[in-house]
Amino acid sequence: MNGQETVTPLRLGTRRSALATAQSGMVAEEVAKVTGRRVELVEITTYGDVSRESLAQIGGTGVFVSALRDALLEGRIDLAVHSLKDLPTAEPAGLLLAAVPEREDARDALVARDGLTLAELVAGTEGRAVRVGTGSPRRMAQLNAWARARGADLETVPIRGNVDTRINYVTSGELDAVVLATAGLNRLGRSAEITEHLDTELMLPAPGQGALAVECVDPTLAAVLARLDHRPTRAAVVAERALLATLEAGCSAPVAALATWAGTELRLNGVVGTTDGVELLKMSATGPLVPDENAEEQAAALGRALATRLLDTGAADLMGERAR
């Protein structure tokens, strides 16, 4: 590496939100270590940031990443950091998924009034429904299914906005609770506001939740950034995203998936449901996974197999119109 390369900063593209810049800043520190170059954040506004429509209305898939990818392809930035759950499953022409760093906590979290858990909320409300805010059809489906199974009076309220906006719905008294990703709250240093980590039996996360994706165009840079890759995380999210792709569902569909390692096996859990919680289809699959150059294909095969079983059991009808 010559002197010019040392002083030329790498331009890392990120969304403008507090969470996006926080997690991109964490990646930037690691990129600087492995490349020996300064890294500067370039904030880019995406369509998903400016639209006030629900994710289901604007399509969900890709609305937070397309502007960043355009900047990469046009050479305005050198690399981009995305929340992996926001990435479309289709492989983009000309872009390289250089690294998937080690995953944060994949679970969802409840931020509720008075420090209560979900069970305490529904047990302590007399004469009115517990109002829980979320912009995710996946979360709505599972929350409503949980409430129906318990005979609890719970209303899911669609909301959008950044973390502050969502938590303010609770502190203002407009909502009893909101559901957010644990990883985001941890990265923002706000884990103390979590009143309950929702068990994955109740709330399976979105495919790729808690993981980040580092994309670039230059193969030489990608080879260096590969040092940030965490093979177990990459294999797990490959399985989850293969399930999502086979279902032909976008990130706004009521689909959940989580893959976890157990020795030399990968276990994949999947959920497809209706947002009202009337129908919730849960399945799991386990397959051997050797951490070698074939690990990703093994993981993808597991995801495709579980998705096929879900489709054979009626998953397409539960999702409604399948994303194209």
Side-chain angles (χ1 to χ4, degrees):
M1 184 175 292
N2 62 40
Q4 180 61 38
E5 289 176 328
T6 302
V7 298
T8 303
L10 286 167
R11 299 160 299 170
L12 187 157
T14 178
R15 290 171 56 196
R16 293 179 182 270
S17 73
L19 174 55
T21 54
Q23 62 194 24
S24 293
M26 294 173 187
V27 173
E29 292 179 4
E30 298 305 312
V31 170
K33 291 177 184 176
V34 299
T35 63
R37 296 169 65 177
R38 291 188 300 113
V39 180
E40 62 180 25
L41 297 187
V42 179
E43 296 182 357
I44 294 174
T45 300
T46 71
Y47 180 65
D49 293 317
V50 297
S51 174
R52 300 271 54 89
E53 298 174 285
S54 71
L55 288 183
Q57 288 176 308
I58 60 179
T61 305
V63 297
F64 294 116
V65 304
S66 58
L68 288 165
R69 286 178 160 176
D70 288 344
L72 272 174
L73 293 169
E74 293 164 7
R76 291 184 280 122
I77 57 175
D78 301 299
L79 67 156
V81 173
H82 313 283
S83 291
L84 204 146
K85 68 181 178 65
D86 293 334
L87 287 188
T89 53
E91 292 293 331
L95 296 181
L96 302 170
L97 181 54
V100 179
E102 186 171 2
R103 193 178 212 163
E104 242 281 9
D105 193 328
R107 293 174 297 175
D108 282 304
L110 190 77
V111 178
R113 62 173 174 81
D114 306 320
L116 299 176
T117 66
L118 189 60
E120 290 167 343
L121 278 174
V122 298
T125 303
E126 297 292 338
R128 70 170 181 87
V130 170
R131 289 166 52 83
V132 181
T134 174
S136 163
R138 168 189 63 84
R139 289 172 177 150
M140 289 180 179
Q142 293 181 91
L143 282 169
N144 287 326
W146 177 87
R148 283 178 178 275
R150 297 174 67 99
D153 195 1
L154 184 147
E155 177 189 359
T156 52
V157 181
I159 58 172
R160 282 205 63 193
N162 60 27
V163 170
D164 280 332
T165 298
R166 296 182 188 218
I167 292 178
N168 282 343
Y169 282 117
V170 179
T171 55
S172 69
E174 186 173 344
L175 296 175
D176 294 295
V178 293
V179 180
L180 301 164
T182 294
L185 292 168
N186 287 349
R187 288 171 180 145
L188 286 170
R190 302 186 66 167
S191 57
E193 295 174 72
I194 297 172
T195 57
E196 180 184 12
H197 290 288
L198 297 177
D199 189 275
T200 55
E201 284 295 315
L202 184 164
M203 180 70 69
L204 205 65
Q209 183 163 309
L212 300 176
V214 183
E215 283 189 326
C216 69
V217 173
D218 179 16
T220 302
L221 177 59
V224 178
L225 295 176
R227 294 168 59 186
L228 303 180
D229 202 58
H230 186 249
R231 183 171 287 177
T233 296
R234 185 183 280 257
V237 299
V238 163
E240 295 161 18
R241 287 165 57 76
L243 179 145
L244 190 66
T246 305
L247 292 175
E248 298 182 20
C251 66
S252 62
V255 174
L258 180 65
T260 52
W261 286 77
T264 57
E265 287 189 327
L266 191 68
R267 179 178 178 83
L268 177 63
N269 291 289
V271 167
V272 178
T274 55
T275 54
D276 60 8
V278 172
E279 296 186 76
L280 202 67
L281 187 58
K282 294 185 177 184
M283 287 188 176
S284 63
T286 304
L289 190 68
V290 180
D292 58 17
E293 65 275 6
N294 298 315
E296 287 188 49
E297 180 47 44
Q298 294 168 3
L302 184 66
R304 290 190 295 266
L306 183 56
T308 299
R309 285 174 51 205
L310 286 163
L311 289 171
D312 289 344
T313 318
D317 293 334
L318 300 187
M319 292 186 294
E321 184 178 351
R322 295 164 76 182
R324 298 298 179 190

